[in-house]
Amino acid sequence: MTKSYRTEAQLVELDKLRQHEEVDPAHLKELREEIKSDKILKFAIVVDKNTNVILDGEHRFNALKELGCRRIPLVYVDYDSPDIEVQTWRNNPHLTKKGVIEAGLSEKKLPAKTSKHMIRIGDKLSHISAIQKRVDIPLEVLRGGAELIDIKTVKPTMHTELREVLPFYVKFLHTGIVDNPIIIDEKTNVILNGHEVFQALDLLSARKAPALKVNILEMKIRSLQPGLKPVTREGIIEAGLKGPRLPPKSFEVLVEPLKINVPLGELLETEEKDRGILKVYNSTLELLYEGWPTPLVKFNSLTTSKRSVWAKLEGHNPFSNSVKDRIGFSMIMEALERGELKEVLYEATSTNTGIALTSIANILGVKAKLYMPKTIQKVSDTYLKVLGAEVVRLPVGLTVEAIGQVDSEAKVDKAAHLNQFENDANFKVHLKHTARELDEQLRSLGLKPSCIVGGLGTSGHMSAISFYFKNKYKNDTKIVGVQPAPNEVVPGIRRVETGMKWYHWMDFDEVVDVKQTEAIEGAINIARKEGLLIGLSAGAVVHVFNKIAKDQGVYILILPDTGYKYAEQFENYFTNLQTK
Ligand code: PLP
């Protein structure tokens, strides 16, 4: 059998409740003065859960009203249960439960002290006050406003143990109800009680928390760590506003745990989040294009009061972890549309385009054969082998030098040669996405770029960026290309005079030479200042930025990939340092 009452006390708004009988003015006055001097309410009242009619505690209800309280602790019972009986103090044989409820719901109340409610607990019939929980709730709490407040404005004052927080997390998640409010000081928003609830809500990404605001000066504080200095009100406020936080379980304000009833949904993000924001994807291909834009992040180590520096992290593309996923996707999609994608594709690559093409080809069930210069790091062969590509190493220094051979072999073997150096899908994808995305990101910050720095390989991404920004902001945006110094190898980029398609169509304000060592040092610098392991052409971009930057403006660094493919070059660099 289910129990006819709930054992927990809940805090409920006074104006939700209905009384069924008059009160005795003398008793009310006496009780009000007692509660006022105690500054606490000791016991919860009893209310019918179906009608909100008060069954016992009408004097307390009225006393709290007169003391300016907004809510009252109560225990709900199921008045329909045969375990609850109504009797009368006045020998009124006609008093029924129905009569009590009718009086509660109408304006016509019964005379004071008419009803007496009894409850069966086990075999015994007891006065219903037997289930009234001792709560000792400060009047402050009953007066204060319970609000849903912005979680960011709440200031924790103590550390919490994760083990203590997780049960609240699980409870809120499973019941969909947050039944514990946090108690905060009304002036400072520092937490007085409910740190675990607060942390659980934070872990649930709640934006709001149900909070009872009280005046800390009116609250009794109890220190809980006998070995430590007693916690004072000032200490609590300081811990919340300035820190450091107090150790877990340092203090409590004297309030029994209270119950409320707030649906968790009301506390979570209210806006509909679309799948993109939640990062849910229906395929790995979708992961690529729905994942755009790639992040734009401020490099605070390079930013000064008048100059902000932002890095676009192309390493956040999922397949090759580089800018080249974009062209792998667009070249393959265009070839598919034109019906030119065969069973196998051939491509000359310095690694990234090869990985991007092979990954996407794998999704589509197409094979890849890649031609790479001997100058490229060995680990690329391993990655491409994992992906199932066939790799041919050629005795050339530059990727572009392999094109003739690739083209003729593709013709003989009836393979598709997408040719990143000539294929306009390369430039187009950067115009449509990379450049526009960057502009949108900057506009969201209210910024116009004064200078964009990026490396030149096929020249696809920087030509598109130049085209877009020079058209949009004319010469207000300076475009700076980065190329390896003569006889230097920086994987992914090459010298302009080796022949580039789109570069020659566009305006570049400057092209700056970088040695491999400088590129490596640029990457090391960012790793040590910003914590990001960026690639070598990205390091070259950083080096050029450092060389040309003025102490004013908005600088954008396009960083094509991450450093993980270049362990070989980093290792050689460190070995050379040692031998010097
Ligand atoms: N950086 C790296 C690491 C690359 O792989 C590439 C291209 O292969 C580039 C820079 C140059 O990009 P783009 O071909 O768009 O000029």
Side-chain angles (χ1 to χ4, degrees):
M1 204 173 84
T2 56
K3 239 167 64 183
S4 53
Y5 63 93
R6 284 179 62 169
T7 36
E8 289 168 330
Q10 310 214 13
L11 265 195
V12 173
E13 309 292 312
L14 284 167
D15 57 16
K16 289 213 176 98
L17 306 181
R18 297 160 184 275
Q19 59 186 101
H20 72 274
E21 57 182 31
E22 309 285 354
V23 286
D24 169 28
H27 180 45
L28 173 60
K29 189 167 171 219
E30 198 184 310
L31 186 64
R32 188 190 61 214
E33 292 312 310
E34 187 189 319
I35 296 173
K36 196 170 155 189
S37 83
D38 287 351
K39 294 193 177 157
I40 57 167
L41 181 77
K42 291 186 183 143
F43 288 96
I45 65 169
V46 181
V47 173
D48 172 32
K49 74 173 169 79
N50 304 310
T51 59
N52 270 339
V53 171
I54 301 168
L55 303 176
D56 197 82
E58 303 202 307
H59 287 88
R60 274 167 281 166
F61 170 76
N62 280 283
L64 290 191
K65 251 189 182 172
E66 289 180 10
L67 290 167
C69 294
R70 289 164 53 170
R71 60 180 67 78
I72 188 163
L74 56 79
V75 176
Y76 274 124
V77 295
D78 182 2
Y79 197 40
D80 293 337
S81 158
D83 284 346
I84 299 174
E85 289 180 12
V86 64
Q87 297 179 358
T88 174
W89 300 102
R90 294 171 169 267
N91 225 355
N92 175 352
H94 303 298
L95 184 61
T96 58
K97 282 184 172 180
K98 195 163 165 251
V100 168
I101 296 300
E102 271 170 15
L105 299 181
S106 76
E107 292 309 309
K108 206 162 156 268
K109 306 298 172 196
L110 299 169
K113 282 239 160 229
T114 302
S115 69
K116 170 168 135 186
H117 284 98
M118 307 296 286
I119 187 162
R120 198 175 312 281
I121 305 172
D123 302 338
K124 233 177 98 202
L125 196 63
S126 311
H127 186 255
I128 203 152
S129 58
I131 63 165
Q132 294 182 358
K133 225 180 141 343
R134 176 114 193 189
V135 284
D136 288 344
I137 295 186
L139 282 189
E140 267 298 308
V141 172
L142 302 175
R143 283 196 183 112
E147 299 168 29
L148 299 187
I149 70 166
D150 183 346
I151 209 159
K152 286 198 222 93
T153 65
V154 177
K155 301 184 178 72
T157 53
M158 272 195 288
H159 289 289
T160 44
E161 302 280 6
L162 185 60
R163 295 288 294 265
E164 309 270 339
V165 171
L166 293 180
F168 286 100
Y169 180 97
V170 170
K171 181 171 82 169
F172 299 157
L173 198 64
H174 285 179
T175 59
I177 296 286
V178 176
D179 58 355
N180 307 78
I182 55 173
I183 297 184
I184 60 175
D185 173 45
E186 62 190 5
K187 281 220 187 76
T188 57
N189 277 8
V190 301
I191 301 183
L192 304 178
N193 266 16
H195 278 88
E196 287 77 14
V197 169
F198 172 78
Q199 297 297 347
L201 289 174
D202 190 47
L203 285 177
L204 286 159
S205 300
R207 293 206 315 173
K208 294 185 215 145
L212 287 175
K213 290 189 165 177
V214 298
N215 180 352
I216 189 172
L217 302 176
E218 303 278 330
M219 303 297 289
K220 284 210 180 79
I221 311 280
R222 184 162 71 197
S223 300
L224 299 174
Q225 304 269 4
L228 299 180
K229 230 175 42 186
V231 176
T232 60
R233 294 191 175 87
E234 297 69 40
I236 294 173
I237 291 183
E238 188 171 316
L241 298 186
K242 279 204 237 140
R245 292 187 196 169
L246 300 166
K249 293 203 182 340
S250 302
F251 73 93
E252 64 178 5
V253 292
L254 295 178
V255 189
E256 277 292 301
L258 304 167
K259 294 287 161 192
I260 47 163
N261 207 345
V262 180
L264 179 61
E266 275 185 33
L267 306 176
L268 303 181
E269 295 272 353
T270 44
E271 309 110 64
E272 269 278 304
K273 279 188 166 176
D274 63 28
R275 279 193 306 126
I277 292 170
L278 290 172
K279 296 189 186 287
V280 176
Y281 306 99
N282 281 318
S283 67
T284 47
L285 211 50
E286 218 188 59
L287 170 68
L288 170 66
Y289 58 83
E290 293 285 357
W292 295 334
T294 51
L296 184 70
V297 60
K298 193 180 197 174
F299 275 359
N300 287 301
S301 65
L302 301 176
T303 294
T304 62
S305 59
K306 290 203 210 125
R307 174 180 86 188
S308 69
V309 183
W310 302 83
K312 190 148 174 70
L313 304 182
E314 285 304 292
H316 277 241
N317 283 298
F319 297 120
S320 62
N321 300 144
S322 86
V323 67
K324 291 298 184 176
D325 278 11
R326 296 180 187 265
I327 73 160
F329 176 67
S330 63
M331 292 196 306
I332 285 188
M333 287 304 137
E334 280 202 8
L336 261 182
E337 262 169 39
R338 287 199 302 265
E340 285 172 12
L341 194 62
K342 319 221 167 119
E343 278 167 24
V344 59
L345 59 83
Y346 288 8
E347 187 72 26
T349 171
S350 61
T351 299
N352 283 329
T353 303
I355 294 180
L357 285 175
T358 309
S359 299
I360 299 168
N362 284 350
I363 297 166
L364 301 172
V366 172
K367 292 258 163 245
K369 181 171 176 182
L370 306 169
Y371 297 77
M372 285 202 306
K374 60 177 190 321
T375 45
I376 299 299
Q377 63 281 350
K378 288 193 195 67
V379 73
S380 299
D381 295 73
T382 310
Y383 293 151
L384 287 163
K385 198 169 172 181
V386 172
L387 284 162
E390 186 186 340
V391 179
V392 183
R393 287 278 187 166
L394 295 179
V396 293
L398 292 174
T399 309
V400 70
E401 294 174 301
I403 289 185
Q405 183 176 345
V406 177
D407 219 8
S408 56
E409 287 191 18
K411 280 202 181 82
V412 173
D413 298 341
K414 300 203 168 26
H417 176 206
L418 301 177
N419 192 0
Q420 57 172 329
F421 298 95
E422 299 287 329
N423 191 327
D424 285 341
N426 175 346
F427 176 85
K428 282 192 289 183
V429 76
H430 290 305
L431 185 62
K432 193 171 162 189
H433 295 285
T434 323
R436 211 172 58 131
E437 196 177 285
L438 172 60
D439 189 30
E440 275 172 20
Q441 288 171 317
L442 288 170
R443 277 190 289 136
S444 80
L445 297 162
L447 297 178
K448 193 167 96 174
S450 19
C451 180
I452 306 177
V453 188
L456 301 169
T458 64
S459 83
H461 75 271
M462 281 310 288
S463 298
I465 285 172
S466 170
F467 183 76
Y468 182 97
F469 284 92
K470 289 282 185 197
N471 275 302
K472 183 141 189 180
Y473 300 118
K474 304 282 178 289
N475 281 327
D476 289 354
T477 302
K478 216 174 142 190
I479 304 289
V480 176
V482 174
Q483 65 179 1
N487 306 317
E488 290 283 335
V489 176
V490 178
I493 58 175
R494 61 198 170 96
R495 294 188 62 74
V496 167
E497 68 262 19
T498 58
M500 288 173 187
K501 185 175 182 181
W502 307 283
Y503 169 85
H504 294 285
W505 302 357
M506 305 302 154
D507 276 352
F508 279 78
D509 296 274
E510 216 177 326
V511 174
V512 182
D513 286 5
V514 181
K515 295 192 175 112
Q516 189 183 80
T517 315
E518 293 166 335
I520 289 173
E521 283 165 358
I524 290 173
N525 225 314
I526 291 305
R528 293 182 183 179
K529 293 271 172 50
E530 297 288 350
L532 288 180
L533 193 46
I534 61 171
L536 300 194
S537 67
V541 168
V542 171
H543 174 82
V544 169
F545 161 80
N546 281 324
K547 209 162 157 183
I548 59 141
K550 304 206 167 61
D551 193 25
Q552 199 160 13
V554 176
Y555 284 80
I556 313 299
L557 314 182
I558 311 291
L559 306 187
D561 69 356
T562 70
Y564 295 97
K565 298 179 196 104
Y566 309 107
E568 212 176 275
Q569 289 91 339
F570 285 123
E571 220 170 283
N572 288 341
Y573 171 81
F574 288 128
T575 312
N576 288 341
L577 272 190
Q578 272 172 356
T579 50
K580 263 182 202 163

